Amino acid sequence: MKTFTVWNHKGGTGKTSLTSLLSLYLSETSRKVLMVDLDSQESLTSGFIEEQATSTWESKTVYDWLIGKAKIKDCIQEVNTNLSIISGSLLVSKIQNSVNQSVIRRDLKSLDFDFCFIDCPPTWSNSIVASINASEKVLVPSLLSVYDLKSTKFTLNEIQDIDKDLETYVVFNRCKSLSKIEKELQDKSFTRSTILSFPSFTSVNTAIKTKKLKGNLKEEIKKLYESLEGIL
């Protein structure tokens, strides 16, 4: 199984959207995909799991897995034939700095999926380190504002501090051209990474609600995947 952390220290950069779209696309092409919602905001979970089902699975979330209350296999909920999720929990915010930094890597090894995407919160904690330690590569979504670039640079440097050899991929979303930030991209934090762009996240909510990619959005995520195909 290939595992990818999706993280940026800043909120609103498109982490959950990127996780959702790539997972949907890969599942539609007959890959078995697991999504892990590590964010206490539960945005990924609320997009794929109905509220009633979320309540039913309250005792089997990422929180229960990480504190050792439940085995990882018992926390996996099927979204469709090829797509599954480990639901998030508000309680995970209480243990972010007490998570064993090797537990995610250890437990994911026991699963039979082709891909795993870990949707991380916009924070810095042991849970982030554990996710990165479990991953082959890290996808860093970003926008083009000064504040987004500053946070993305910080994020890339933190990843380097954890594992200087880990490959990172910055995905600038809602973006057709990077010409406005050419100078900023010369910073060594960015030059160590592969830089990609994604035109938009239009109709993401519809895609998640229907669990299906259509029209322009499907073509856009297909192009992004083709850019990533060499690494995924």
Side-chain angles (χ1 to χ4, degrees), residues 3 16 22 31 38 45 50 58 80 91 94 96 102 121 129 138 143 153-155 179 200 212 230:
T3 302
T16 299
L22 283 173
R31 277 88 159 186
L38 202 58
T45 301
E50 297 294 333
E58 188 176 359
N80 59 41
L91 294 173
K94 298 173 62 176
Q96 286 183 344
S102 63
V129 178
V138 181
L143 301 178
K153 180 179 176 181
F154 172 84
T155 301
S179 59
S200 72
K212 186 174 292 187

Side-chain angles (χ1 to χ4, degrees), residues 15-106:
K15 295 180 290 295
T16 299
S17 294
L18 185 63
T19 300
S20 301
L21 294 174
L22 283 173
S23 297
L24 279 172
Y25 180 80
L26 287 166
S27 68
E28 289 180 5
T29 55
S30 300
R31 277 88 159 186
K32 291 183 65 179
V33 182
L34 174 67
M35 302 178 291
V36 179
D37 191 351
L38 202 58
D39 193 342
S40 61
Q41 297 180 68
E42 304 179 70
S43 297
L44 184 69
T45 301
S46 64
F48 285 92
I49 303 298
E50 297 294 333
E51 186 175 353
Q52 183 177 358
T54 302
S55 177
T56 301
W57 278 77
E58 188 176 359
S59 63
K60 296 182 179 181
T61 67
V62 68
Y63 172 78
D64 300 285
W65 162 40
L66 293 178
I67 67 170
K69 183 179 179 181
K71 293 182 179 180
I72 187 172
K73 290 183 178 179
D74 295 329
C75 298
I76 298 172
Q77 186 170 4
E78 186 177 282
V79 176
N80 59 41
T81 303
N82 292 318
L83 185 62
S84 299
I85 187 172
I86 296 180
S87 298
S89 169
L90 288 169
L91 294 173
V92 80
S93 61
K94 298 173 62 176
I95 61 164
Q96 286 183 344
N97 281 314
S98 59
V99 172
N100 185 301
Q101 294 185 3
S102 63
V103 65
I104 296 179
R105 176 175 57 196
R106 181 197 69 202

Side-chain angles (χ1 to χ4, degrees), residues 1-228:
M1 178 171 64
K2 298 179 180 179
T3 302
F4 302 88
T5 288
V6 185
W7 178 53
N8 191 315
H9 195 269
K10 183 179 181 297
T13 61
K15 295 180 290 295
T16 299
S17 294
L18 185 63
T19 300
S20 301
L21 294 174
L22 283 173
S23 297
L24 279 172
Y25 180 80
L26 287 166
S27 68
E28 289 180 5
T29 55
S30 300
R31 277 88 159 186
K32 291 183 65 179
V33 182
L34 174 67
M35 302 178 291
V36 179
D37 191 351
L38 202 58
D39 193 342
S40 61
Q41 297 180 68
E42 304 179 70
S43 297
L44 184 69
T45 301
S46 64
F48 285 92
I49 303 298
E50 297 294 333
E51 186 175 353
Q52 183 177 358
T54 302
S55 177
T56 301
W57 278 77
E58 188 176 359
S59 63
K60 296 182 179 181
T61 67
V62 68
Y63 172 78
D64 300 285
W65 162 40
L66 293 178
I67 67 170
K69 183 179 179 181
K71 293 182 179 180
I72 187 172
K73 290 183 178 179
D74 295 329
C75 298
I76 298 172
Q77 186 170 4
E78 186 177 282
V79 176
N80 59 41
T81 303
N82 292 318
L83 185 62
S84 299
I85 187 172
I86 296 180
S87 298
S89 169
L90 288 169
L91 294 173
V92 80
S93 61
K94 298 173 62 176
I95 61 164
Q96 286 183 344
N97 281 314
S98 59
V99 172
N100 185 301
Q101 294 185 3
S102 63
V103 65
I104 296 179
R105 176 175 57 196
R106 181 197 69 202
D107 290 357
L108 286 179
K109 286 182 178 180
S110 66
L111 302 180
D112 184 25
F113 288 89
D114 297 311
F115 294 93
C116 175
F117 290 94
I118 305 174
D119 185 24
C120 292
T123 58
W124 174 250
S125 65
N126 274 10
S127 64
I128 300 295
V129 178
S131 177
I132 292 173
N133 283 339
S135 300
E136 298 179 27
K137 299 173 180 17
V138 181
L139 305 179
V140 183
S142 181
L143 301 178
L144 299 183
S145 77
V146 171
Y147 300 105
D148 286 283
L149 292 173
K150 181 179 180 181
S151 176
T152 299
K153 180 179 176 181
F154 172 84
T155 301
L156 293 170
N157 288 335
E158 291 303 305
I159 295 168
Q160 282 286 313
D161 286 345
I162 297 169
D163 185 348
K164 63 181 179 63
D165 297 320
L166 189 64
E167 295 180 41
T168 52
Y169 299 81
V170 180
V171 181
F172 286 101
N173 59 64
R174 306 170 200 168
C175 166
K176 293 183 179 180
S177 171
L178 299 176
S179 59
K180 292 182 179 180
I181 59 168
E182 286 182 353
K183 183 177 180 180
E184 289 82 355
L185 293 180
Q186 297 308 308
D187 185 282
K188 66 178 181 180
S189 300
F190 289 104
T191 57
R192 289 192 296 247
S193 303
T194 299
I195 307 298
L196 301 168
S197 62
F198 184 61
S200 72
F201 282 150
T202 56
S203 305
V204 172
N205 291 336
T206 299
I208 294 173
K209 184 176 181 180
T210 61
K211 312 295 186 294
K212 186 174 292 187
L213 295 172
K214 296 180 180 180
N216 291 337
L217 183 60
K218 184 173 184 177
E219 290 304 311
E220 288 175 359
I221 200 64
K222 179 181 179 182
K223 289 178 181 178
L224 176 62
Y225 172 75
E226 289 173 347
S227 298
L228 291 168

